[in-house]
Amino acid sequence: MDRCVVLVDAGYLLGAAASLLAGEPSRSRIIVDHTAVVAGLRERAERETGQPLLRIYWFDGAPDRVPQPEHRRLRVMPRVTVRLGALTRTDGRWAQKGVDAAMHAELSELARNRACSDIVLVTGDGDLLPGMMSAKEHGVAVHLWAVQAADGDYNQSEDLVAEADERRVLDRAWITAAISARELPGACAPHEPKPEIAAILSAPLPEPAAADRPAAPDRPAAPDRQAEPDRGDGTEQREPAEPEPHPGKGVPTPKDLADLGRNHAVPPPSPPPAPSTLRWSSDKGWSDRPGADQDDVSGLPTLAQVTTAEQRWADREADITAVSGDPFEVGQVFARRWIARVGDSGLRQQLSAHYPRVPHRIDGELLRYAARFGLLAHKDDQIDEDDRYAIRAGFWREFSSALSAD
């Protein structure tokens, strides 16, 4: 039947909206205009699918499955059906129970009965993957909608993204048309201690007085030494006075060694260590490079340092939907983002001086990025050596193209 149905995981939709607008996933931090949300979902679903709306199913949790005021408002709206799961509190946190199972059952039934031609899923839970696959096998087109994430983390199952027929993102503009952040009453800056209290807190702890120090455990009296016979020069041969090790220990303690050092001449201070170097192997032999303390890449930022939260989210979106995972391509994508966000041609020239080796900090970040695409050898969680060469080759190819364009 040529109609569309929308299945909404309210916990995902509103929790992600709260993270986007208020910085935390608590739904108490946002104000929701449910009428506007339903109208926005209906208008967009009909536009994206090209089919009239049959129904919006709103799946949410409630304590003891008792409808809350928002559920009562929703279930009387036209073309809206509310399905409630249990809402339980564990370790101070609320968790939904049965919502995913209810969505899976509804999704399967709609597809099996051919009640619609298109189903829109607003969710991020990978548990719905079997239901999505079943709906596709019954000839239903599945549209997956995501909510834009504010913190740069991806908030949707990659398996769902890969299986969906169509995918769209509810961005900040769409969200703010119906949802707004709630102002916290009496919000104020963190409390700072008074200066005199801060001085006390920052002062070092006093050394305990000699009378307050814990008494050392009693040691057994040393056996009397017999005086050795006179050597004929009027003196007696005596052993040097050294601290005795702690009874029962064959190795002297650090305190024993410290006391022992007082009876000997203090050695002259050792000269400062020479600057450390790293030796790099190459086809031309070994070459010395400055060590970590003289690393000449201190002025080069990593990609994470020049990437905003919005850009991280967009990067993750592109990684899943546009980047194939070929090692050479992965290196190109990473270099393209670094070049675009650094912007300073001087830093580009500084990095190019390290060719053909990527500086250590940037190289580590590059390989961690590549690991997202399944390029790890499962036996030791390392990237294959050939793939590493391909990743770095792609990085430098993109880098050289950018320098040529400059």
Side-chain angles (χ1 to χ4, degrees):
M1 189 173 293
D2 295 338
R3 293 179 294 187
C4 67
V5 172
V6 181
L7 306 183
V8 181
D9 181 351
Y12 167 77
L13 172 62
L14 302 183
S19 296
L20 179 67
L21 302 180
E24 58 180 291
S26 174
R27 290 162 62 170
S28 63
R29 294 294 312 277
I30 55 175
I31 300 173
V32 183
D33 183 348
H34 292 90
T35 302
V37 169
V38 169
L41 289 172
R42 178 171 186 169
E43 184 274 331
R44 182 156 185 168
E46 291 180 340
R47 184 178 74 248
E48 296 288 347
T49 63
Q51 305 294 341
L53 177 74
L54 171 63
R55 191 174 298 114
I56 295 176
Y57 289 88
W58 187 273
F59 295 87
D60 203 359
D64 299 327
R65 290 184 168 86
V66 176
Q68 302 299 300
E70 60 180 299
H71 304 137
R72 297 178 183 277
R73 289 193 297 269
L74 282 164
R75 66 183 184 179
V76 298
M77 296 181 184
R79 304 278 181 166
V80 177
T81 297
V82 176
R83 297 281 188 260
L84 295 180
L87 191 62
T88 60
R89 189 175 182 87
T90 304
D91 296 332
R93 299 183 63 180
W94 291 98
Q96 295 182 159
K97 300 294 183 181
V99 173
D100 296 337
M103 290 189 69
H104 181 279
E106 199 72 53
L107 176 60
S108 300
E109 285 296 316
L110 289 169
R112 185 181 299 111
N113 296 326
R114 299 187 179 275
C116 57
S117 60
D118 297 77
I119 294 179
V120 176
L121 287 177
V122 185
T123 184
D125 198 334
D127 292 341
L128 288 177
L129 181 63
M132 177 186 288
M133 297 173 64
S134 174
K136 292 175 62 177
E137 291 173 357
H138 284 86
V140 175
V142 181
H143 306 252
L144 182 66
W145 290 0
V147 177
Q148 178 181 345
D151 55 3
D153 293 332
Y154 209 71
N155 60 8
Q156 209 167 33
S157 167
E158 296 184 16
D159 293 331
L160 285 181
V161 175
E163 193 66 25
D165 294 309
E166 299 286 345
R167 186 166 181 272
R168 297 292 184 269
V169 175
L170 303 177
D171 58 11
R172 184 185 293 269
W174 190 94
I175 294 295
T176 53
I179 303 172
S180 59
R182 188 187 303 272
E183 295 292 336
L184 291 178
C188 60
H191 174 70
E192 295 290 339
K194 295 181 180 180
E196 58 273 14
I197 299 178
I200 295 174
L201 295 176
S202 61
L205 296 176
E207 292 291 336
D212 298 334
R213 292 175 183 167
D218 295 336
R219 295 185 178 181
D224 295 336
R225 292 193 179 96
Q226 296 180 355
E228 295 191 359
D230 190 356
R231 296 184 300 179
D233 56 358
T235 61
E236 293 182 357
Q237 183 178 357
R238 296 180 180 275
E239 295 181 359
E242 295 183 0
E244 299 178 359
H246 193 279
K249 292 184 178 180
V251 179
T253 65
K255 182 177 184 301
D256 296 333
L257 295 177
D259 293 338
L260 182 61
R262 297 192 185 99
N263 299 323
H264 298 79
V266 179
S270 59
S276 61
T277 58
L278 299 176
R279 294 181 62 82
W280 296 78
S281 62
S282 66
D283 296 337
K284 299 180 180 179
W286 291 92
S287 59
D288 291 340
R289 292 291 183 91
D293 52 349
Q294 290 186 342
D295 195 355
D296 53 352
V297 298
S298 58
L300 291 176
T302 62
L303 179 62
Q305 292 173 333
V306 294
T307 301
T308 65
E310 299 280 349
Q311 288 171 330
R312 285 200 306 272
W313 181 88
D315 290 347
R316 190 63 170 166
E317 176 85 4
D319 291 343
I320 292 178
T321 58
V323 182
S324 66
D326 175 75
F328 191 87
E329 181 190 7
V330 167
Q332 286 183 302
V333 171
F334 184 92
R336 191 179 307 127
R337 292 171 182 172
W338 191 91
I339 293 167
R341 291 166 193 174
V342 168
D344 188 347
S345 60
L347 293 177
R348 298 182 193 175
Q349 294 293 337
Q350 183 180 349
L351 178 56
S352 65
H354 292 268
Y355 179 83
R357 296 176 182 85
V358 184
H360 178 69
R361 285 196 308 150
I362 299 177
D363 185 60
E365 187 181 36
L366 170 61
L367 295 180
R368 288 193 298 272
Y369 168 70
R372 297 180 185 175
F373 299 93
L375 297 176
L376 293 176
H378 297 291
K379 59 182 180 180
D380 54 2
D381 289 338
Q382 296 292 326
I383 297 178
D384 182 76
E385 185 176 5
D386 293 337
D387 288 343
R388 294 189 190 188
Y389 282 122
I391 293 166
R392 291 158 179 159
F395 177 90
W396 284 120
R397 175 66 62 83
E398 188 69 23
F399 203 85
S400 61
S401 300
L403 290 179
S404 301
D406 292 343

